[in-house]
């Protein structure tokens, strides 16, 4: 944690959690489809094919087919190398769900590859805690999660009034939720990145269910609910940045005014700001920071991976509206912001992304100057990728748990 003078004394209550080695090692491990051996294998095969073509250059058919095979293998090597770096597709299930976003044959291949054991799809059903609502479904969780008592629901929330045509919000319920009908739980809301991100990303690339189970089984955190929010507005290719877009979807209002009340209504939550955290990664991290600062009355804790505090190239989404730009650029308004309630913030970065590190420190220092708690957690050697978001999520969840524990339940 970086603090200076009086600020370092004021913020001593906020700390970077110390976690068991097996929990952190699990979060940092590569999935089977992230192994560098995959792209190295494709690259080696491409070189071998090129060598065969060179040796049999006099054969036209060998040249033709050889160059085709070389191109395909080189493309596969490039794609798998990128995935090894970014960490977006961990398992065959992740790959299946990625392919299902495509058209025709690609979609069919994804459905054939999908074993249905992870990241449930929305299906018809009734709300677990509200018999009159049909917008929530209860799909079957993965085999591992089911064995541990974890359940994943999908709450489908369209909000035409805010320009949101659809929204599949994934709710991860802790073991024991169904067996103890009197217990209430704190909630962490997580936002995906942009563009082409979606709410399933925190279940697959981010491995939120696995991190929750690992932390709970190690008795590091008390049981909590995690909600992966859909802020795509039905168009994941657009870089919405979680904003209330002039003339477009009102994503900030959808999250704060529609999703949060719906979750509180349907589930046994501790429905107060002290037991509610908001987080995200990259574009979702920007959204969590911006929305969280706008709604300190709703969120007492912010847990952000790969943060930034300026719209930069995404400023065009606000169509030149100067007032909207100023109101949605934390780098501008945070240094003079008046806080009506205190907040605690953790910012997680990889040291391989110096810009992220500098940004996190700047945000933390601005928060300290306004009398707020802020901690920077850095993963050595990691970059601005899903690897970093996944590796730091246990720290973010443990930090949220720390703040939840310090507040008495009010509901």
């Amino acid at each position: 944690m970086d603090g200076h003078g009086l600020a370092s004394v004021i913020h001593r209550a906020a700390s970077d959690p110390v976690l068991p080695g097996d929990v952190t090692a699990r979060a940092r491990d590569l999935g089977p489809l992230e192994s560098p051996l995959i792209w190295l294998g494709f690259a080696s095969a491409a070189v071998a094919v090129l060598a065969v073509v060179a040796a049999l250059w006099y054969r036209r058919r060998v040249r033709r087919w050889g160059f085709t095979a070389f191109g395909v293998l080189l493309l596969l090597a490039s794609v798998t190398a990128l995935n090894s770096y970014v960490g977006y597709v961990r398992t065959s299930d992740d790959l299946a769900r990625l392919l299902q976003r495509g058209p025709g044959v690609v979609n069919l291949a994804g459905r054939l590859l999908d074993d249905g054991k992870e990241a449930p799809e929305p299906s018809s059903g009734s709300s677990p805690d509200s018999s009159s609502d049909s917008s929530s479904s209860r799909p079957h969780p993965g085999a591992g999660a089911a064995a541990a008592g974890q359940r994943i629901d999908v709450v489908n929330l369209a909000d035409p009034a805010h320009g949101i045509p659809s929204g599949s919000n994934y709710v991860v319920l802790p073991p024991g939720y169904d067996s103890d009908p009197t217990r209430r739980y704190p909630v962490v809301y997580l936002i995906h990145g942009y563009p082409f991100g979606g709410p399933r990303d925190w279940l697959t690339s981010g491995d939120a269910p696995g991190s929750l189970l690992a932390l709970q089984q190690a008795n590091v955190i008390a049981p909590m609910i995690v909600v992966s929010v859909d802020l795509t507005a039905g168009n994941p290719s657009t870089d919405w940045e979680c904003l209330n877009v002039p003339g477009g979807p009102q994503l900030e209002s959808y999250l704060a005014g529609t999703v949060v009340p719906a979750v509180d209504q349907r589930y046994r939550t501790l429905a107060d700001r002290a037991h509610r955290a908001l987080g995200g990664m990259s574009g979702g991290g920007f959204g969590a920071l911006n929305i969280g600062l706008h709604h300190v009355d709703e969120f007492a804790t912010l847990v952000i991976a790969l943060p930034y505090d300026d719209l930069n190239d995404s400023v065009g989404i606000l169509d030149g509206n100067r007032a909207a730009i100023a109101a949605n650029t934390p780098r501008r308004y945070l240094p003079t912001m008046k806080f009506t309630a205190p907040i605690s913030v953790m910012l997680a970065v990889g040291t391989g992304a110096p810009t992220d590190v500098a940004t996190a420190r700047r945000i933390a220092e601005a928060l300290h100057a306004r009398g707020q708690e802020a901690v920077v957690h850095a993963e050595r050697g990691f970059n601005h990728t899903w690897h970093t978001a996944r590796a730091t999520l246990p720290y973010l969840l443990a930090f949220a748990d720390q703040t939840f524990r310090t507040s008495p339940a009010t509901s």
Side-chain angles (χ1 to χ4, degrees):
M1 171 181 170
D2 293 328
H4 304 284
L6 180 60
S8 64
V9 177
I10 293 174
H11 305 290
R12 65 184 182 274
S15 62
D16 192 346
V18 177
L19 303 182
D22 56 341
V23 172
T24 58
R26 181 192 176 282
R28 292 168 181 147
D29 280 349
L30 298 179
L33 294 187
E34 297 172 303
S35 171
L37 295 177
I38 297 175
W39 73 263
L40 286 171
F42 282 127
S44 299
V47 171
V49 167
L50 197 60
V52 171
V53 170
L56 301 175
W57 187 260
Y58 60 91
R59 293 192 177 184
R60 181 178 299 175
R61 180 173 294 180
V62 170
R63 292 202 306 270
R64 183 171 66 250
W65 286 103
F67 280 126
T68 300
F70 173 77
V72 171
L73 289 168
L74 193 61
L75 176 62
L76 289 172
S78 300
V79 170
T80 52
L82 178 63
N83 183 64
S84 181
Y85 172 76
V86 173
Y88 190 67
V89 179
R90 297 177 306 132
T91 65
S92 59
D93 191 79
D94 292 358
L95 178 60
R97 295 182 185 284
L98 179 62
L99 294 176
Q100 287 175 34
R101 298 182 185 181
V105 176
V106 175
N107 181 278
L108 177 61
R111 293 184 179 278
L112 292 174
L113 187 61
D114 185 4
D115 61 9
K117 291 184 178 180
E118 295 182 33
E121 294 290 343
S123 61
S124 60
S126 61
S127 169
D129 292 339
S130 176
S131 60
S132 63
D133 195 330
S134 62
S135 67
S136 176
S137 62
R138 187 190 290 186
H140 297 291
Q150 192 181 69
R151 194 180 88 222
I152 303 173
D153 288 359
V154 185
V155 177
N156 296 305
L157 289 173
D159 187 358
H162 287 120
I164 312 297
S166 62
S168 297
N169 303 279
Y170 290 79
V171 181
V172 185
L173 300 171
Y177 181 86
D178 292 315
S179 60
D180 185 355
T182 63
R183 183 168 184 173
R184 292 185 173 273
Y185 301 86
V187 187
V188 176
Y189 292 85
L190 296 175
I191 309 173
H192 52 80
Y194 290 96
F196 297 106
R200 285 179 297 185
D201 292 348
W202 274 112
L203 277 64
T204 54
S205 308
D207 192 31
S211 289
L212 278 168
L213 284 178
L215 288 165
Q216 290 169 12
Q217 290 170 351
N219 294 315
V220 174
I221 66 172
M224 63 177 64
I225 296 171
V226 167
V227 181
S228 185
V229 185
D230 186 348
L231 292 188
T232 64
N235 188 357
S237 64
T238 300
D239 194 356
W240 297 115
E241 297 290 337
C242 313
L243 297 169
N244 278 349
V245 180
Q250 307 296 290
L251 289 161
E252 176 180 329
S253 297
Y254 172 69
L255 170 59
T258 302
V259 176
V260 170
V263 171
D264 286 340
Q265 178 186 7
R266 290 162 174 76
Y267 298 95
R268 298 191 310 277
T269 67
L270 290 166
D272 58 75
R273 68 177 299 273
H275 295 91
R276 192 181 292 133
L278 178 61
M281 67 85 67
S282 191
F286 170 84
L289 177 64
N290 191 43
I291 295 173
L293 292 176
H294 289 172
H295 295 270
V296 295
D297 58 325
E298 289 191 57
F299 304 99
T301 307
L302 305 181
V303 285
I304 300 168
L306 321 180
Y308 55 92
D309 55 357
D310 198 307
L311 286 165
N312 298 318
D313 294 339
S314 301
V315 71
I317 199 72
L318 294 177
D319 198 27
N321 186 317
R322 292 186 179 183
I325 293 170
N328 291 283
T329 304
R331 187 172 183 177
R332 294 192 194 181
Y333 66 74
L334 179 54
T336 59
M337 179 175 169
K338 294 182 179 179
F339 284 83
T340 57
I343 62 169
S344 296
V345 182
M346 172 171 262
L347 305 144
V349 296
T351 60
T355 300
D356 285 1
V357 175
T359 300
R361 288 175 176 169
R362 180 175 65 241
I363 295 170
E365 288 170 1
L367 286 164
H368 289 164
R370 306 310 298 167
Q372 306 306 310
E373 294 185 340
V375 173
V376 175
H377 173 84
E379 285 286 312
R380 187 171 299 279
F382 282 68
N383 299 289
H384 192 97
T385 67
W386 267 107
H387 281 310
T388 309
R390 186 165 73 239
T392 58
L393 181 60
Y395 291 94
L396 298 172
L397 293 174
F399 181 83
D401 177 74
Q402 286 180 358
T403 63
F404 295 154
R405 289 173 186 263
T406 61
S407 302
T410 60
S411 63

